[in-house]
């Protein structure tokens, strides 16, 4: 079992919570940065196995370099998962970039072995000039002008933050590895529903009457957490790692949900009945498979997501069976 100390930024988040759980299970001591250690929304971390002995939650504003240095000091590795999730450019771009720079700079000063940075597929695939037969892999980058012109500030922010992390790492001599997850599903450890889970929840509550003519890549949160651990622990790991299980049309998602949970008012009609059905893009997740990651099928992930939402009280369990 490792006896190393690692830092996880934004420890109370969806991905980060599972990462903290995985690290504690492997014997690491974890320093988790949160906005407020006494906030009840972070209490789930304290109940994780090994947390009493090997988890310390500390308050740290990632735009404050001094606070970041204090959190990382003495750590062997850093997992930078914290990031704004918003399409407001002022709340997204500058905090994401400054946070990335500060974490890498503080890691350099602390002499950590490796920094693992949680980026996003949003930094990879937003390119209007990519042909339909081109495979999206780790060499792809989102077109920043396209992100700006379409006002997709989340993808723009993730792309410029990742670029800033790479530039700072090169300048400071930091061993940086990046994980680029797609839309993340799976059971929640934290008490609150996060943005990516709302993507599924809206189809079960009846708030979405139709589904969009669009495609999305999906991955299970447990696989994303494991991907972070694998790229940290594998000395030869380098560069970027796309973390994706499959690309599905929204129609495929609702079909799976209808078969698994017919008792919910899941929409069966597409909002766009004029244009051709959007086709999935091709991607490569071979780099993570080569590290030994065996992805959880998205059908299983969707099932576990809904079951968790029921157990946590975010989704009522209908009393009558059969389609509504």
């Amino acid at each position: 079992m490792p006896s190393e100390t690692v830092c996880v930024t934004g420890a109370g988040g969806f991905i980060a919570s599972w990462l903290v759980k995985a690290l504690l299970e492997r014997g690491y001591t974890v320093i988790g940065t949160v906005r407020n250690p006494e906030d009840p929304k972070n209490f789930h971390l304290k109940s994780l196995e090994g947390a009493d002995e090997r988890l310390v939650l500390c308050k740290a504003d990632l735009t404050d370099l001094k606070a970041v240095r204090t959190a990382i000091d003495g750590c062997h590795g850093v997992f930078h998962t914290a990031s704004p999730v918003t399409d407001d450019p002022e709340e997204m771009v500058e905090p994401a970039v400054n946070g990335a720079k500060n974490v890498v700079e503080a890691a350099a000063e602390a002499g950590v072995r490796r920094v693992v940075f949680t980026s996003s597929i949003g930094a990879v695939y937003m390119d209007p000039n990519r042909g339909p037969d081109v495979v999206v892999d780790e060499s792809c980058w989102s077109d920043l002008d396209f992100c700006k012109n379409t006002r997709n500030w989340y993808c723009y922010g993730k792309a410029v933050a990742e670029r800033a992390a790479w530039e700072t790492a090169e300048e400071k001599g930091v061993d940086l590895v990046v994980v680029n997850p797609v839309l993340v599903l799976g059971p929640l450890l934290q008490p609150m529903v996060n943005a990516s889970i709302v993507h599924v929840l809206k189809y079960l509550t009846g708030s979405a009457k139709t589904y969009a003519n669009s495609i999305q890549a999906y991955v299970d949160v447990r696989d994303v957490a494991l991907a972070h651990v694998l790229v940290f622990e594998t000395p030869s790991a380098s560069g970027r790692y796309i973390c994706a299980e499959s690309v599905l049309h929204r129609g495929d998602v609702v079909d799976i949900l209808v078969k698994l949970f017919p008792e919910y008012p899941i929409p069966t009609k597409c909002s766009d009945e004029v244009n051709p059905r959007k086709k999935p893009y091709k991607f490569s997740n071979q780099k993570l498979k080569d590290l030994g990651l065996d992805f959880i099928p998205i059908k299983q992930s969707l099932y576990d997501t809904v079951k968790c939402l029921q157990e946590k009280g975010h989704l009522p369990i209908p009393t009558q069976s059969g389609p509504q």
Side-chain angles (χ1 to χ4, degrees):
M1 297 286 277
S3 57
E4 294 184 331
T5 299
V6 294
C7 178
V8 177
T9 67
F14 182 35
I15 294 170
S17 295
W18 278 99
L19 176 56
V20 170
K21 184 176 189 292
L23 291 166
L24 289 172
E25 286 172 353
R26 285 168 113 89
Y28 289 94
T29 294
V30 180
I31 310 297
T33 75
V34 291
R35 287 178 182 169
N36 179 6
E38 300 309 315
D39 190 326
K41 71 180 183 182
N42 294 316
F43 286 178
H44 64 285
L45 296 171
K46 298 178 181 180
S47 65
L48 295 173
E49 187 177 343
D52 285 347
E53 303 82 22
R54 290 178 284 105
L55 175 65
V56 177
L57 297 182
C58 66
K59 183 177 181 178
D61 177 353
L62 299 184
T63 60
D64 178 352
L65 180 57
K66 187 177 178 182
V68 179
R69 281 177 183 153
T70 301
I72 292 176
D73 189 42
C75 289
H76 299 88
V78 176
F79 296 88
H80 180 40
T81 73
S83 177
V85 181
T86 175
D87 254 332
D88 182 323
E90 289 186 9
E91 292 180 15
M92 179 67 211
V93 181
E94 192 175 333
V97 171
N98 290 342
K101 285 181 176 178
N102 286 345
V103 166
V104 175
E105 190 171 320
E109 293 182 13
V112 306
R113 179 159 60 81
R114 175 170 284 174
V115 174
V116 179
F117 178 78
T118 312
S119 185
S120 165
I121 195 69
V124 177
Y125 83 116
M126 292 287 287
D127 182 359
N129 300 314
R130 188 183 66 247
D133 294 321
V134 174
V135 176
V136 174
D137 63 15
E138 286 80 5
S139 68
C140 299
W141 279 90
S142 291
D143 184 310
L144 295 182
D145 287 334
F146 178 65
C147 291
K148 279 198 280 191
N149 292 338
T150 55
R151 302 186 65 77
N152 192 327
W153 297 111
Y154 175 76
C155 290
Y156 179 85
K158 295 301 282 190
V160 294
E162 188 189 330
R163 286 193 182 278
W166 282 117
E167 288 165 7
T168 310
E170 186 175 356
E171 179 189 327
K172 302 288 183 181
V174 172
D175 180 8
L176 177 71
V177 183
V178 172
V179 179
N180 298 84
V182 293
L183 191 134
V184 184
L185 300 177
L188 300 83
L189 292 176
Q190 82 279 8
M192 306 298 291
V193 175
N194 54 293
S196 63
I197 296 300
V198 171
H199 176 85
V200 172
L201 186 58
K202 69 183 180 185
Y203 291 134
L204 297 152
T205 59
S207 62
K209 306 300 181 188
T210 58
Y211 60 85
N213 180 16
S214 58
I215 49 102
Q216 184 83 48
Y218 299 93
V219 71
D220 191 281
V221 65
R222 294 161 288 190
D223 287 338
V224 181
L226 180 56
H228 282 70
V229 175
L230 288 173
V231 301
F232 179 70
E233 292 184 344
T234 306
S236 61
S238 65
R240 309 164 92 197
Y241 287 81
I242 288 177
C243 194
E245 195 278 327
S246 59
V247 180
L248 297 176
H249 191 277
R250 293 287 200 283
D252 298 326
V253 175
V254 297
D255 284 348
I256 292 170
L257 290 172
V258 165
K259 287 185 177 75
L260 292 174
F261 301 98
E263 62 272 26
Y264 287 104
I266 300 162
T268 55
K269 186 177 179 182
C270 184
S271 59
D272 175 6
E273 296 182 325
V274 177
N275 295 300
R277 183 178 169 111
K278 294 279 176 67
K279 293 180 179 176
Y281 64 84
K282 299 171 183 177
F283 70 93
S284 172
N285 58 8
Q286 193 60 46
K287 280 187 74 178
L288 277 174
K289 285 184 174 178
D290 289 345
L291 293 186
L293 185 53
D294 186 14
F295 287 92
I296 297 168
I298 285 306
K299 184 176 181 180
Q300 182 66 49
S301 188
L302 282 166
Y303 178 83
D304 292 347
T305 302
V306 176
K307 282 296 183 184
C308 177
L309 289 169
Q310 291 175 338
E311 288 164 11
K312 287 186 175 290
H314 298 304
L315 183 65
I317 302 173
T319 51
Q320 67 183 95
S321 60
Q324 299 292 302

